Amino acid sequence: MTLEEFKKISQEEINKANEEITTVSDEQTLNNFKGRFLGKKSHLTDFYASMRDVVKEEKKDFGIALNDLRAKLQSLFDEKEAAFRQAKLNARLEKEKVDITLPGYNNTLGSKHPFYAVVDDVTDFFLGLGYTVADGPEVESDRNNFELMNIPKDHPARDMQDSFSINDNTILRSHTSSVQARVLAAAQGKGPIKVICPGKVYRRDNDATHSHQFGQIEGLVISEDATFANLLETLTLLLRHLFGEKREVRFRPSFFPFTEPSVEADISCFECNGKGCSLCKHTGWIEILGSGMVNPNVLRINGFDDKKYQGFAFGIGIDRVAMLKYGIDDIKRFYTNDVQFIDQFRKE
Ligand code: PHE
């Protein structure tokens, strides 16, 4: 083939390719185009093969013309390929378009419920004293709630708390003391034990400061030498932690079937500093929790040697502490989920 002939054929090839590229509509037809004009079986490949028959003097220019043809065919392909890539990208951008002028979601930050503010505060306090946190179910056996807490079936102490029965042997627990029975069982007669158990309890009760559901934090310490003095000191520290270092703490004799002796703790009124006001019902004191030395009977019936072990227990009302601390007027506010109420405890 002469250079002259090749230039003619070459131009025809380009015309054909120019025409054909307009019919390319997708990647499949673009690939066909590539095969036909640039592939192994294309005219271009044949042209390269025919180089060896070209006369010496024309070889160089033939080569230049051939490369020129290949470059033109290649650029037809490249342009089309780039156009497809761009179209694909445009389609994706269109599909994933975000309207940044739309109003966003309003993520308001929640606030800790005052009930849990008290739970967390008291828990932190006791973790610092080396206690661990124990847990028990709200649907509890009569045995754990009463019998193992030294309250047999006919005991009058049941009257105040025997409230929500599921069946003869199952109730909604009336106090977190039921977790004492569980912790003692798990310890299998071996001390020491130092736990607190926060949780919800249920009783038939209904006024501004009492409700059918409320929270308690139980404490239980069993060892060979835990004393009454330890109990008084622990609770004094707790109450000053909760209500301020200046609080006076007073212990009054009381009765609980599971502790002996039993005491109730009062704090000097933080509203009037003990002078007497409506908050402390003009007594100067606010009743705050029940406690005592674990009744040896409780140790025995829960598999502990009461000659070897002794200890103390206490139960503090979570809602009551929160009501006093934050000046909340009705215990029902804790569970009626009024956002305006809860919002007041937001920490800005
Ligand atoms: N369980 C008692 C109550 O609910 C509180 C308490 C716990 C008292 C532990 C003494 C010891 O009133």
Side-chain angles (χ1 to χ4, degrees), residues 161 174-175 177 180 203 216 218 256 258-259 290-292 313-315:
Q161 298 192 13
S174 64
H175 53 185
S177 300
Q180 284 194 35
R203 285 182 206 174
Q216 286 188 331
E218 191 82 6
F256 300 101
F258 29 91
T259 47
S291 63
F314 52 88

Side-chain angles (χ1 to χ4, degrees), residues 324-342:
L324 290 168
K325 260 183 93 112
Y326 305 116
I328 296 165
D329 60 346
D330 191 333
I331 193 168
K332 285 163 198 69
R333 296 199 190 280
F334 287 101
Y335 58 81
T336 43
N337 287 332
D338 180 348
V339 177
Q340 287 187 31
F341 165 70
I342 298 169

Side-chain angles (χ1 to χ4, degrees), residues 126 131 180 193-195 219-223 226-232 234-235 259 291-294 310-314:
F126 280 109
Y131 286 62
Q180 284 194 35
I193 292 170
K194 255 173 106 174
V195 292
L220 177 67
V221 173
I222 303 287
S223 73
T227 65
F228 193 55
N230 296 149
L231 165 64
L232 302 185
T234 303
L235 294 180
T259 47
S291 63
M293 296 307 286
V294 174
Q310 58 189 41
F312 58 84
F314 52 88

Side-chain angles (χ1 to χ4, degrees), residues 201-262:
V201 302
Y202 302 84
R203 285 182 206 174
R204 197 176 62 211
D205 244 336
N206 184 24
D207 62 36
T209 55
H210 296 86
S211 145
H212 67 280
Q213 64 171 64
F214 60 101
Q216 286 188 331
I217 300 173
E218 191 82 6
L220 177 67
V221 173
I222 303 287
S223 73
E224 292 178 29
D225 55 7
T227 65
F228 193 55
N230 296 149
L231 165 64
L232 302 185
E233 176 69 1
T234 303
L235 294 180
T236 302
L237 286 174
L238 170 69
L239 294 175
R240 293 204 172 130
H241 169 77
L242 285 173
F243 296 103
E245 293 304 319
K246 295 217 181 75
R247 297 280 64 79
E248 298 279 344
V249 180
R250 166 177 97 169
F251 294 92
R252 279 180 293 106
S254 183
F255 172 79
F256 300 101
F258 29 91
T259 47
E260 182 61 35
S262 304

